[in-house]
Amino acid sequence: MSNQINTQILVDGASNAVVKITGVLDTSDVSATDVVDPASFSPVPTGFRIDHIDYAIADDLEVRLLWDGTSDVDILPISGRGRMSFWNFGGLQNNATNKTGKIQLMTNGYSVGVTQTFSVVLELVKLGV
């Protein structure tokens, strides 16, 4: 088998979106992979703000979220299990140069011979719609 990364749009509203990302790693860490693309939404936003993140990540594995741009910019690394909220100060804003509006994901900590899993749910606000 090979690594499996799946993205599911749970909510695609006029101004909000919810995306679930799941992964099963059985061969290696995942390099930067697009998991949220504005073109997949209607109306199509220019980008997103992240208000909440729910996550469950296998022990010893770290998931990094990135803003896509000329040089990708770390949003934040997450590990373990939990929920983080950012809405009370305006959410996490894209600060990449030449931003595409995409959100990427990569992992660190894959252990050879061990299948590791993760799930991440992003509650997003559409920008530019």
Side-chain angles (χ1 to χ4, degrees):
M1 201 165 114
S2 62
N3 290 342
Q4 301 287 320
I5 306 297
N6 296 298
T7 300
Q8 181 181 7
I9 298 172
L10 302 177
V11 175
D12 185 7
S15 61
N16 295 311
V18 178
V19 176
K20 179 179 74 169
I21 306 143
T22 58
V24 178
L25 308 184
D26 64 0
T27 55
S28 64
D29 275 313
V30 174
S31 59
T33 301
D34 294 343
V35 290
V36 178
D37 184 343
S40 300
F41 295 83
S42 179
V44 177
T46 57
F48 299 94
R49 178 182 85 212
I50 300 174
D51 276 2
H52 303 280
I53 301 174
D54 291 287
Y55 57 96
I57 300 166
D59 295 337
D60 301 325
L61 188 65
E62 175 187 72
V63 170
R64 289 176 53 203
L65 297 172
L66 307 112
W67 299 118
D68 183 44
T70 304
S71 296
D72 297 340
V73 174
D74 275 307
I75 299 171
L76 70 137
I78 50 178
S79 60
R81 290 136 195 85
R83 176 175 174 87
M84 292 186 275
S85 295
F86 311 101
W87 64 270
N88 56 337
F89 60 84
L92 298 177
Q93 305 281 337
N94 188 339
N95 60 343
T97 304
N98 295 323
K99 49 189 146 195
T100 65
K102 296 177 183 177
I103 297 173
Q104 298 180 321
L105 176 145
M106 62 187 301
T107 64
N108 292 317
Y110 171 76
S111 298
V112 175
V114 177
T115 299
Q116 294 170 298
T117 61
F118 66 84
S119 66
V120 177
V121 176
L122 302 174
E123 294 181 36
L124 307 167
V125 174
K126 294 179 177 181
L127 302 175
V129 293

